[in-house]
Amino acid sequence: MTTARRIPRRSPRRRDRRGRGLRGLLYPVTTPSFRTRAERFDARVLEALEPIELRWGPELVDLDLAVDEVPEVERTSPEEVVWGTGVLADAGVPLAQLVPAGVDQAGLPSRARIVLYRRPLEARARGGADLGDLLHEVLVEQVAEYLNIEPDAVEGGAD
């Protein structure tokens, strides 16, 4: 009489088969650590804009705000890089640009907008609070240029 050998069934694997680490989210979705650097930067921009928007909201209705990683270089010369009009630069590095309302390349009307450059701004800041202050200063300068008033008037709220 032959006895059949019974092969035990294996339980489902409880480890990572290929050594790639845990699968799934590292942080819960509700924590700040879950957000990307760009998302955290966008949140800081909105925080920096809030006091300006509270004072100058009606005047800023036709103004858009955008964030780009780095500025585009239109043309260069052997001695220096030449930036377009409305660029706010620090030591030759653009931090933001005010693009006036007009007509875009497709011939459609475009709204005025402030474009903030994330990488140069992050490189200039030493930390989170410093980045918030720098963003506020840059936004004050750009809004003042848009409204054609002094930056102190934007900061103080007076016309």
Side-chain angles (χ1 to χ4, degrees):
M1 180 181 213
T2 61
T3 59
R5 286 179 71 189
R6 187 170 173 206
I7 300 173
R9 289 185 161 222
R10 291 185 177 177
S11 63
R13 291 187 179 243
R14 298 187 189 266
R15 64 179 182 84
D16 179 15
R17 286 185 4 189
R18 292 181 177 83
R20 293 188 186 122
L22 297 173
R23 295 185 185 239
L25 299 175
L26 192 57
Y27 299 106
V29 178
T30 57
T31 61
S33 299
F34 181 74
R35 294 189 283 172
T36 64
R37 286 178 67 183
E39 290 171 337
R40 288 191 301 263
F41 184 84
D42 292 346
R44 287 204 179 267
V45 168
L46 294 176
E47 288 173 15
L49 182 64
E50 187 176 358
I52 298 169
E53 212 169 38
L54 287 174
R55 291 186 183 120
W56 297 94
E59 288 85 357
L60 302 178
V61 170
D62 295 328
L63 180 67
D64 291 335
L65 186 63
V67 175
D68 278 349
E69 289 287 315
V70 292
E72 291 183 23
V73 178
E74 292 179 5
R75 63 184 190 276
T76 61
S77 69
E79 293 83 31
E80 64 180 345
V81 176
V82 180
W83 302 107
T85 59
V87 173
L88 175 65
D90 177 34
V93 177
L95 304 177
Q97 180 177 10
L98 175 64
V99 180
V103 179
D104 65 5
Q105 295 173 347
L108 300 172
S110 65
R111 294 167 40 115
R113 70 183 174 279
I114 295 173
V115 181
L116 298 171
Y117 301 119
R118 182 174 71 86
R119 294 293 191 115
L121 285 164
E122 286 178 336
R124 294 284 187 272
R126 292 187 185 97
D130 193 33
L131 179 59
D133 293 341
L134 179 61
L135 284 171
H136 182 73
E137 289 176 21
V138 168
L139 286 170
V140 164
E141 291 283 334
Q142 294 296 299
V143 168
E145 187 175 338
Y146 171 72
L147 297 174
N148 201 20
I149 59 175
E150 292 295 317
D152 293 338
V154 172
E155 189 71 39
D159 285 306

